[in-house]
């Protein structure tokens, strides 16, 4: 797997690079500004980008904007965004395409190395990996008039954990239920969100995106 790392702080950029390469993820470019990031994301050999939201020159949203533009040029380009805070607008913009291969983590989560590396792999594989605080912030905006309003509290809990990139086994462990029960809840979610079986769609990703964008 090949990654691009975009982070303006030299120590964190070097740390992320070393961490990823220690887990068999080759960093093909490590950049410190948005212009360099845009150039790096045009490479054909990039499997995933790990991007800081705020980068030079204005330190507002350059990193995210560069990632969104890259996903416009190359739909589905896997991007994992790192941010110091939960910024709803940025998270929603990243999710706006309706495709998978996206992640949004708070920088504090990088200290959990195994979870961070798994998030990178999940995003690279086309899934979603969202920080629990991001999920909590976004789902409070859900409206009962949408299909999401049909979900039970338990189904919402299951879907929130799915949004964090957890497997059925991990969801079951977190909720102290069986994997069979989790599978049943997930099937109910697919039905209530009008997501029929399709060989061309990843229903798990579509369900998470529908939930977060509601």
């Amino acid at each position: 797997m090949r990654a691009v790392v975009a982070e303006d702080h030299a120590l964190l950029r070097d740390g992320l690079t070393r961490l990823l390469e220690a887990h068999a993820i080759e960093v093909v470019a490590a950049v410190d500004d948005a212009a360099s990031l845009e150039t790096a994301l045009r490479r054909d050999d990039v499997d995933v980008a790990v991007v800081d939201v705020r980068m030079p020159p204005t330190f507002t949203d350059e990193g995210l904007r560069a990632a969104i533009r890259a996903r416009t040029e190359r739909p589905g380009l896997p991007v994992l965004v790192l941010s110091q805070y939960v910024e709803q607008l940025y998270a929603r913009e990243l999710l706006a395409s309706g495709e998978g291969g996206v992640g949004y983590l708070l920088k504090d989560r990088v200290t959990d190395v195994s979870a961070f590396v798994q998030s990178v792999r999940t995003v690279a594989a086309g899934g979603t990996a969202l920080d629990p605080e991001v999920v909590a912030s976004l789902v409070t905006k859900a409206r009962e008039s949408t299909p999401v309003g049909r979900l039970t509290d338990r189904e919402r809990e299951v879907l929130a954990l799915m949004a964090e990139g957890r497997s059925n086994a991990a969801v079951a462990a977190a909720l102290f239920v069986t994997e069979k029960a989790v599978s049943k809840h997930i099937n109910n979610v697919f039905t209530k969100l009008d997501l029929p079986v399709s060989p061309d769609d990843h229903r798990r990703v579509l369900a998470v995106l529908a939930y977060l964008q509601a």
Side-chain angles (χ1 to χ4, degrees), residues 33-34 37-38 51-69 81-83 87 89-91 93 104:
D33 61 72
L37 173 59
E38 291 196 27
V51 179
D52 185 13
V53 168
R54 302 185 177 193
M55 301 187 71
T58 67
F59 295 96
T60 54
D61 60 359
E62 286 91 338
L64 179 69
R65 295 295 179 194
I68 290 173
R69 283 193 292 272
V81 167
L82 299 178
S83 180
E87 300 175 272
L89 177 62
Y90 296 153
E93 286 198 54
Y104 190 116

Side-chain angles (χ1 to χ4, degrees), residues 48 71 76 78-81 91 94-105 115-116 118-132 134-135 138 158-167 202-213:
V48 63
R71 279 175 64 88
V79 174
L80 175 60
V81 167
L94 186 65
L95 294 164
S97 69
E99 298 183 46
V102 293
Y104 190 116
L105 299 181
F116 172 69
Q118 183 55 52
S119 293
V120 174
R121 295 188 182 282
T122 295
V123 170
T128 58
L130 302 176
D131 192 284
V134 175
V135 173
L138 291 177
V158 169
L159 196 43
L161 291 168
M162 287 167 58
E164 294 172 24
R166 301 201 193 188
S167 65
H202 194 316
R203 292 197 295 169
R204 197 178 183 95
V205 171
L206 292 175
V208 168
L209 293 176
Y211 186 43
L212 295 175
Q213 293 177 338

Side-chain angles (χ1 to χ4, degrees), residues 5-212:
V5 171
E7 167 59 55
D8 64 290
H9 290 289
L11 288 178
L12 183 52
R13 184 172 64 252
D14 184 64
L16 288 170
T17 299
R18 291 174 181 271
L19 188 158
L20 293 173
E21 293 190 332
H23 290 80
I25 300 175
E26 179 186 359
V27 176
V28 296
V31 301
D32 61 1
D33 61 72
S36 299
L37 173 59
E38 291 196 27
T39 298
L41 292 180
R42 294 191 185 102
R43 297 176 56 135
D44 294 330
D45 59 348
V46 176
D47 297 311
V48 63
V50 180
V51 179
D52 185 13
V53 168
R54 302 185 177 193
M55 301 187 71
T58 67
F59 295 96
T60 54
D61 60 359
E62 286 91 338
L64 179 69
R65 295 295 179 194
I68 290 173
R69 283 193 292 272
R71 279 175 64 88
T72 299
E73 296 174 6
R74 180 181 162 187
L77 173 67
V79 174
L80 175 60
V81 167
L82 299 178
S83 180
Q84 195 70 39
Y85 311 102
V86 178
E87 300 175 272
Q88 286 191 18
L89 177 62
Y90 296 153
R92 288 180 181 279
E93 286 198 54
L94 186 65
L95 294 164
S97 69
E99 298 183 46
V102 293
Y104 190 116
L105 299 181
L106 297 184
K107 288 186 176 180
D108 290 348
R109 308 298 181 189
V110 179
T111 57
D112 186 340
V113 174
S114 60
F116 172 69
V117 172
Q118 183 55 52
S119 293
V120 174
R121 295 188 182 282
T122 295
V123 170
T128 58
L130 302 176
D131 192 284
E133 289 188 35
V134 175
V135 173
S137 179
L138 291 177
V139 299
T140 57
K141 301 297 183 180
R143 296 291 183 266
E144 295 302 315
S145 60
T146 69
V148 172
R150 305 170 190 164
L151 303 182
T152 65
D153 289 341
R154 176 61 88 184
E155 288 161 359
R156 287 172 182 265
E157 289 178 328
V158 169
L159 196 43
L161 291 168
M162 287 167 58
E164 294 172 24
R166 301 201 193 188
S167 65
N168 284 15
V171 172
L175 298 179
F176 301 101
V177 298
T178 65
E179 284 190 56
K180 183 176 180 180
V182 170
S183 294
K184 181 178 179 180
H185 288 310
I186 291 174
N187 285 330
N188 288 341
V189 167
F190 291 156
T191 299
K192 292 179 180 180
L193 296 185
D194 301 319
L195 296 172
V197 176
S198 170
D200 299 321
D201 296 321
H202 194 316
R203 292 197 295 169
R204 197 178 183 95
V205 171
L206 292 175
V208 168
L209 293 176
Y211 186 43
L212 295 175

